[in-house]
Each structure stands twice: as C-alpha cells, then as structure tokens.
Amino acid sequence: AEYGGQFLHDMSTDQPFEHLVILDFEATCDNRTRLTPQEIIEFPSVLLNARTLQKEAEIQLFVKPQYHPKLTQFCNELTGITQEQVDNGVILEEALKRYESWLRSLGLLNDPSKFIFVTCGDWDLGKMLPGQCKYLGIPKPPYYGRWINIKTIFQKAYGRKAPGMAGMLRILGLNLQGKHHSGIDDCRNITEIAKKIITDGFSFDQTSVSRDNSDLKENQIPPLPWLTIGEGKICIYHHLGKSIKLLQGWKAQGLTIVVTLLNEKERPMEVGNLVRSLFLEWLWFPLEDEIGFDVSQDLIERCAAAMKELCLKISGGGGVLIHCRNGMSRSPVFACALMRWLGLSLEECKEGISNMKPQALKGLSKARLDWVERVVALKTEQK
C-alpha cells in the first residue's frame, strides 16, 4: 500500500465480524473547567456491513444531561449540539433502551458474536459509558464490553501512528463529511475510514475489552461453534482478546484446550497466560499467514506431532479451540488437518469448516490443502 504498510488482498469478504457498529459519543465539556461527571449528550451510530461495505442503518439520539443540564458555549460551538436538542432528548437510561431496540430491530442481538463496535480510540466504551453508568447506578449491557479501536487497526495496517480521525482521513485521501465533533458526522467519517482500510486488504479484529468484565454473565456469553467429532469436539475462532469471562464461559461449555497459531510478533504469550490462569491446557503452534506455502519438512513433522497429541485429547472427550488472528486462514487449515488426522474425508472437513465458520472456507486454497495432505501422509507412514 502507498501508506507504508504491506498490501495484502481484498478482504471485504474475509472479515471476522459480519457487521461493524460505528459509535462516537459526544459529551458535556468546557474549556475553562473540568465537568464532573462528564455526561453523554449524543449517542449516534452507523451500521456497516463488513462484507459488502454497505451502510445499512443509522441512529442518532440526543441525551439530556442530569448533572450539568445547561451546555457551555464551548460545548455548543465544538459539537454543534444545541440546548434545545438536549432539552428535548432523553436521559441516558432511556437512550440505552432505545439503542438496544435499534440493535434488536436489525437482528444484531440474535447473535452478538457476529457484530462489534468500532470507535476512534478507547474513550467511548473504555471510559465514558462505563463511567457514567457507574456514576448513575445503571447497568451497562454486556455487548458494550468489547470493541475495535480503529486507530489500532490503522497503525497495524499502514505502519504509522494514527493521528486522529481528521488526520486519518487526510492520509487516506478522504474528505471530511459534515462537522468534526458532531457525533453522527464523526460516525460517518469513521465509516469511510473503515471501508478504505478493508478495501486495502486489512482485517477488523477485536482490539479492546472492558476492564470490568463482570458485565458478562454466563448465560450471556455466546456459544462457540462446536463441531462434534467422536467423543470430543473442535471449533475455530479469531483472536481471543483479553476477556477472562469469555474463557470462563466457554470452559463451562466444554472447552479444555486452546491451540494458538499466532506467531511471535502477535504476542501469543498474552493468550497463553490468560488460558493457563483458568487451568486450561494451552498449545502454542506458531504459524505464519502464508501457511500452505511453507512446505518445510520440519514444519510438517511438528504439525503431525501436534495432531497426534490433539487426537488423544479429543478421543478422551476434550474440547479444542483453534484460533489465529482473524480465524480465516491458519485456523481452518490447521482444523482441516486435524479432522483429516481423525479420519474425516476432505469433503467432510469442508462441511465441518462451513458449519463452524462459513467464510473460513476461502482459507482452504489448493496449496493449503496440499499442505494438509502432506501432514496427514505422515500418519500413514507412522502406521
């Protein structure tokens, strides 16, 4: 790419989440004194289909501040939000209910694992919303507990620090729409940045998780897409993030072993430490994204050894989660090799991958399937 990062390929159909909900709060503020508590006054979003790159819906709610009901002149000039708009708005608790109704009307809450919020920084969902909910004594819905910081994605994609929304637009050659610091306009601009990053071939993986994971109750944790094989089961997934509550919930659902395919630069030890803190087994098998083109005999033999060990675990009733960064390339290939080692045909493997994560089938290229068969051939040689 012309921005300093490595150009990959069009990943508009290979994103780990089907929908991105772009979110950008505006809050009470002043340039002369710090307002305590700071309160949300605009609650907007744009829904982006990460596969088609179509904007499918928008919402804009104005929120009535309860502790500092009169906006400062600075706040009005910065955001463009008027006193009349917040006076006619709703309190935060009601705004959360209306926003949830909007999410529900779009079918997003039928399977929350298929969508994720996107913010410009970690302030919106890492500080502002949880802080105000705590101050007001109202519950924060669990789906706000994880999100994507587009600044982090930008830096990974283009190899340079994200200078803020306006700066990212400028670097990417995009025009600013509307007024900067208008929440809904910022959402629209962040959406255009997201579309450009996806078009340039980069994946929108989860980057952030709430520090307070107590909002994730066991019955609200999405089930893993398990595929039962004999006495055990396997599943494929993207990056696990840092949510211990998710892993605790999945452990209750039968997870016993986590296989991490991240390379050293992707900080696999963070995952390993998290997994082992819950007394789950952890297997680190580093692979590069180019798996299928690395045909070294050493890698083939090490993979075969891992297959042999995992098959014993599965035959004993184990639940194996296989994950890489986006769940689209390394995970399906490794899972396919494991399923073939367990005796499934290639067609059964493809069907299994499709049942777990349909879009991951594209990761099973001919070169990668040839790699799988080389691994499986060692099983025959060892008999």
Side-chain angles (χ1 to χ4, degrees):
E2 59 189 24
Y3 313 108
Q6 179 186 6
F7 183 82
L8 301 178
H9 61 284
D10 181 6
M11 289 188 64
S12 59
T13 58
D14 291 345
Q15 295 298 315
F17 299 97
E18 291 181 6
H19 286 92
L20 305 177
V21 181
I22 318 299
L23 176 68
D24 191 83
F25 295 135
E26 297 302 327
T28 53
C29 55
D30 191 19
N31 61 341
R32 292 176 297 180
T33 184
R34 183 174 182 176
L35 301 180
T36 304
Q38 195 173 23
E39 299 172 86
I40 295 169
I41 54 176
E42 185 183 0
F43 202 134
S45 278
V46 171
L47 177 65
L48 176 67
N49 187 313
R51 311 283 166 74
T52 66
L53 301 186
Q54 296 297 308
K55 289 191 287 186
E56 296 183 348
E58 289 187 355
I59 186 173
Q60 182 185 34
L61 299 169
F62 290 105
V63 185
K64 182 185 299 184
Q66 296 170 253
Y67 288 87
H68 303 283
K70 184 171 176 58
L71 299 184
T72 64
Q73 181 180 349
F74 174 79
C75 184
N76 168 253
E77 293 175 353
L78 179 69
T79 66
I81 298 172
T82 68
Q83 188 65 46
E84 182 180 8
Q85 285 174 318
V86 294
D87 286 345
N88 293 328
V90 296
I91 62 174
L92 181 62
E93 189 169 11
E94 177 61 26
L96 287 168
K97 292 177 181 178
R98 294 189 183 188
Y99 192 88
E100 178 166 312
S101 295
W102 179 71
L103 293 174
R104 199 173 299 281
S105 72
L106 296 167
L108 297 178
L109 298 186
N110 294 339
D111 186 353
S113 66
K114 293 184 178 180
F115 86 91
I116 194 167
F117 291 101
V118 177
T119 59
C120 190
D122 291 320
W123 173 84
D124 301 81
L125 295 178
K127 182 178 180 180
M128 187 63 237
L129 183 61
Q132 191 174 354
C133 285
K134 184 177 181 180
Y135 201 95
L136 296 174
I138 59 178
K140 177 171 69 76
Y143 42 79
Y144 292 110
R146 60 184 176 86
W147 64 94
I148 295 172
N149 180 348
I150 198 169
K151 291 181 179 181
T152 302
I153 299 297
F154 181 95
Q155 184 168 348
K156 288 181 179 179
Y158 304 120
R160 58 187 297 177
K161 186 176 180 180
M165 188 196 77
M168 286 188 286
L169 288 170
R170 183 177 63 256
I171 291 169
L172 296 177
L174 301 171
N175 294 323
L176 176 69
Q177 301 179 22
K179 177 180 174 58
H180 190 10
H181 296 302
S182 158
I184 190 63
D185 287 342
D186 283 356
C187 286
R188 292 164 181 160
N189 284 303
I190 296 167
T191 298
E192 293 305 311
I193 295 170
K195 289 168 61 178
K196 176 61 174 172
I197 293 174
I198 293 172
T199 301
D200 279 352
F202 299 98
S203 178
F204 265 67
D205 302 306
Q206 176 183 327
T207 65
S208 308
V209 65
S210 173
R211 291 181 181 179
D212 176 16
N213 287 310
S214 62
D215 53 0
L216 281 173
K217 298 178 182 177
E218 186 172 322
N219 62 359
Q220 295 171 322
I221 293 173
L224 288 168
W226 290 113
L227 176 69
T228 300
I229 304 177
E231 297 298 317
K233 53 188 179 181
I234 69 170
C235 69
I236 58 176
Y237 202 71
H238 48 268
H239 201 295
L240 298 180
K242 299 179 181 179
S243 177
I244 196 167
K245 282 289 183 180
L246 278 177
L247 279 174
Q248 285 175 332
W250 291 335
K251 184 178 180 180
Q253 296 171 14
L255 173 64
T256 59
I257 310 161
V258 173
V259 180
T260 296
L261 306 178
L262 304 177
N263 61 43
E264 289 188 18
K265 294 181 180 179
E266 295 171 305
R267 298 190 290 188
M269 292 306 168
E270 291 184 0
V271 177
N273 291 336
L274 183 67
V275 170
R276 288 182 294 202
S277 72
L278 294 174
F279 302 100
L280 291 165
E281 292 188 64
W282 183 58
L283 172 64
W284 177 36
F285 194 87
L287 291 174
E288 300 298 329
D289 272 327
E290 293 77 14
I291 178 174
F293 303 100
D294 182 350
V295 294
S296 66
Q297 187 62 25
D298 175 66
L299 178 63
I300 299 294
E301 291 177 356
R302 287 190 294 109
C303 191
M307 296 296 147
K308 187 174 181 180
E309 179 182 348
L310 290 171
C311 283
L312 290 174
K313 303 290 185 182
I314 292 171
S315 63
V320 179
L321 182 154
I322 303 164
H323 83 96
C324 56
R325 180 173 56 86
N326 59 22
M328 299 290 183
S329 53
R330 290 168 282 184
S331 294
V333 175
F334 191 91
C336 185
L338 180 57
M339 287 188 280
R340 291 284 289 122
W341 197 277
L342 285 164
L344 276 67
S345 68
L346 183 57
E347 288 307 310
E348 289 173 326
C349 291
K350 290 181 178 180
E351 182 180 356
I353 297 293
S354 179
N355 289 336
M356 289 187 284
K357 197 166 192 175
Q359 62 271 31
L361 274 176
K362 293 188 177 182
L364 300 180
S365 64
K366 183 180 183 303
R368 292 176 177 181
L369 289 175
D370 289 344
W371 184 91
V372 167
E373 293 307 310
R374 284 194 60 190
V375 173
V376 177
L378 286 183
K379 179 183 179 182
T380 303
E381 294 175 10
Q382 292 173 5
K383 288 184 177 180

